[in-house]
Amino acid sequence: MSVALGTTRPLPVRTTPVGDPGDLLASLPHTAPYAWVRNGEGLVGWGEAARVAVPPGPGRFAWARKWLATVFGEAQVDDSVRTPGSGAVAFGSFTFDEDAHGSVLVVPRAVLARRAGRAWLTTVGESPLERFTPIRDPGRISYGDGSLSAPEWEHVVAQAAKRIREGELEKVVLARDLVATAERPIDVRLLLSRLSARYPECYTFSVAGLVGATPELLIRRTGQEIESLVLAGTTPRGTGPADDLARGAALLASAKDRHEHECAIASVRQTLAPLCSSLTTPDEPELLMLPNVQHLASHVTGRLADGASVLDVVAAMHPTAAVGGTPTSTAIQVIRELEGMDRAGYAGPVGWIDAHGDGEWGIALRSGLVQGRRARLFAGGGIMGDSDPAAELAEAQAKFRVMQYALEG
């Protein structure tokens, strides 16, 4: 159901407490699954009470906020739970490039949620009746080059590093894609189940065909409190505990990775400071260890000064230096010139927002765009002046393995 701004009908919304639903992802029917789950908590949804394609351009977040205000403002809400994520909720995915088509907002017909020891079900309109079909394995997976072959992408990395050394910019994040084709249609629920089981510390998400497990929390808003997790600087996991420790120590000591991380932190600090009455950023990053890689990570917390919604903060923060580069405007232009592909929702904001402006939005990393038997996988990394193209290619291939595991098991 596609709903255009100005033509929405009031949505009857009812939220009621429920018993512990167990595995949230196991509750999803086959049609239109939406998800935002970490460590077994979060929200899943299905069906579409309202959906809109957000027009591209620099005003897209303001347009989205206006559309949401109309839909949420006209909703007839009966909410006995009254917590972030209850009542009317929209899931969303925005393209990385503001000029690209593909951004979408969806209000599901049903949302099942669990967090902080509470669980609830929200329905919009009549109770949605969905047919729960068995999850089917996609069968054998074959892979082919995306927009660029591996050697072509290495050449692009070399070009970017040269432009950085020449002083045009400090950092640029370059991505590449890989096309996966399955024997049978790909069931998004299978990917979600595998991702959440293997990467419980990540945010497993599904919005309009964009599926993944991102370690990077762009922003969480709970009332006036906000939180962000900044990741920049990566190394593959080792062959064992000793190798892991050595790799982690080398990452912490790496001038290239530390500078890349500081660029990302500075970007977030500069963006959030005008919105916040208080903001705390750590002096030193810590190591975040995932099953496939280790990251330099920094937790940022703050308090909003003017009651901005989570989408307002998303609009101010995207794109961060962690997924774009420094300075941002120059990096975006270099990406457009060199990368040779449309990122779609990869590295764009993905998450959910409720009628009170609370919500959680991540950066759509470790992800793929699924349609039928085909999945377009994405991975990338931060390029600095001394980046080695072969090493950057290896890092991207390590990141591809997240979605390859989800497809293959």
Side-chain angles (χ1 to χ4, degrees), residues 156-168 383-385:
V156 165
V157 170
Q159 287 181 284
K162 181 174 182 290
R163 292 171 71 163
I164 292 170
R165 291 193 299 271
E166 291 173 348
E168 184 178 345
I383 310 304
M384 309 296 288

Side-chain angles (χ1 to χ4, degrees), residues 220-237:
R220 174 187 295 119
R221 176 193 186 269
T222 308
Q224 299 301 99
E225 304 300 322
I226 59 171
E227 179 183 355
S228 181
L229 177 64
V230 180
L231 305 180
T234 307
T235 189
R237 287 290 302 270

